[in-house]
Amino acid sequence: MLRLVNTLGAAGLTLLAAICPGAADAQVQPHRAEYALRLGVAANAARIGTAINDLSQDCAGWRLKRDIRSDIALTTSWRINLSSKLDAEESRAVLRYNTVQIQNGGQREMKGRVQKRSGETRAEIVLGEGSPQQLVLPPPTMLPVAALDYLIDRLRAKAASFPALMFDGEVISDAFLVDVTEQDRASLRRARPGDRMSVPHGQSWPVFLSFTRARQQDQRPLFTVQALVYDNGVVDRLTVETGLVSVTADLQSLDMRPAPVCPRS
C-alpha cells in the first residue's frame, strides 16, 4: 500500500513540478495546489487523504515540497496510515531531493543528487542508512521539471503521442519511460459534484501516461495515469491505475504565485 502513495507522488503529481529556471519560454507558474484523494473512480468513492504540492521559484531554480497523506480502513480492524513527503530543489542541470515515506509508523528515507554534465546524466542515491549507489542514466533522461516542459511543448505542437525518459525519486529512484498519448476530452473522468471550483485559465489537454522502468522496457507498465494538464503546469482529475486498485486526485484549492524577475545570464 505504501507503493500506492509513492505512485501518486511520482506519476500524476510529478507533473506538478516545473520547467528549467530562467528559460525564455517558461510556461509553468509557481503555485500551491491541494488535492482530495479517493479510492476508486465512482462519484461517491471514499475519500482517503490529501496531497499538497507547494512549488516556489527564485532566480537559482525551483523548490518543490510535496506532502501526501492517506488513511485507508480496509476492514473494521485493519487500518493503514500512509504518508510521503518530498523536498526537492532543481536547477538547469542538478536535482537534489529527499523523500520520507511512512507506513503505520515504519519509516523509509531516500535522498539523492542527479546531475547532467558533458552529455551524461549521473545519479547518486542513498536508501536509508545504506551506502550511496552510483547510477548512469540513459542519455536522454530528463529531470522531472524539464520533463513537464517537454510534455507541454509537445502537446502545444499537437503531437498525438510521444515517449519521454524522466528521473523519479519517489518510486524507483531511477529513470522511467513515460509514454504519453493525448486523449479525446470525452474520455476524461468527470469532475465530482463536490469538487467544483474555478478552473485554471489557459489551454488544457486530457492525457494518458504509462510508466515503465526505462531499464526494463519489455515489461508491463508499473502504472498508468489519466489527467487534465494545463499549460501553466496545473494538473487536475488524475486517475492512477496500478492494476490492483484505482486512486483519484481532484483539485480542491489553487493559489497561483508570481514568477520572480531575474536578470538574464
Side-chain angles (χ1 to χ4, degrees), residues 27-193:
Q27 297 166 336
V28 175
Q29 297 178 22
H31 59 271
R32 182 185 187 277
E34 182 171 349
Y35 296 81
L37 305 182
R38 292 183 174 87
L39 190 60
V41 298
N44 62 346
R47 183 162 174 168
I48 58 170
T50 61
I52 298 174
N53 280 262
D54 193 335
L55 180 65
S56 58
Q57 183 187 24
D58 59 25
C59 295
W62 294 89
R63 177 82 176 267
L64 173 63
K65 292 187 176 183
R66 178 152 51 235
D67 189 349
I68 304 174
R69 297 175 182 268
S70 182
D71 190 4
I72 306 172
L74 300 176
T75 68
T76 55
S77 59
W78 185 16
R79 181 178 295 273
I80 299 180
N81 184 268
L82 310 167
S83 69
S84 180
K85 288 187 176 184
L86 169 72
D87 192 342
E89 296 180 352
E90 185 167 337
S91 64
R92 285 186 179 274
V94 179
L95 170 71
R96 298 179 180 87
Y97 70 92
N98 186 80
T99 302
V100 177
Q101 298 160 348
I102 301 174
Q103 177 175 325
N104 287 353
Q107 181 171 303
R108 175 173 180 253
E109 183 175 7
M110 299 177 288
K111 56 186 176 182
R113 171 188 170 95
V114 183
Q115 183 164 10
K116 302 177 76 70
R117 177 186 294 173
S118 302
E120 281 192 332
T121 303
R122 293 180 173 269
E124 181 178 274
I125 313 297
V126 179
L127 303 178
E129 300 298 325
S131 301
Q133 302 176 20
Q134 306 293 330
L135 299 178
V136 178
L137 302 173
T141 301
M142 292 177 277
L143 302 182
V145 295
L148 178 57
D149 189 36
Y150 178 77
L151 170 72
I152 293 175
D153 280 346
R154 296 297 291 154
L155 291 171
R156 281 185 181 277
K158 302 186 183 302
S161 62
F162 52 93
L165 287 173
M166 179 194 75
F167 179 79
D168 156 66
E170 292 176 278
V171 177
I172 63 173
S173 293
D174 205 337
F176 266 131
L177 170 64
V178 186
D179 288 301
V180 183
T181 303
E182 184 177 0
Q183 293 190 301
D184 185 271
R185 198 164 291 268
S187 67
L188 187 68
R189 177 174 57 82
R190 292 176 178 239
R192 292 185 169 95

Side-chain angles (χ1 to χ4, degrees), residues 8 13 35-37 189 236-239 247-251:
L8 268 171
L13 297 179
Y35 296 81
L37 305 182
R189 177 174 57 82
D236 194 9
R237 284 193 264 171
L238 297 103
T239 301
V247 174
T248 62
D250 294 283
L251 192 62

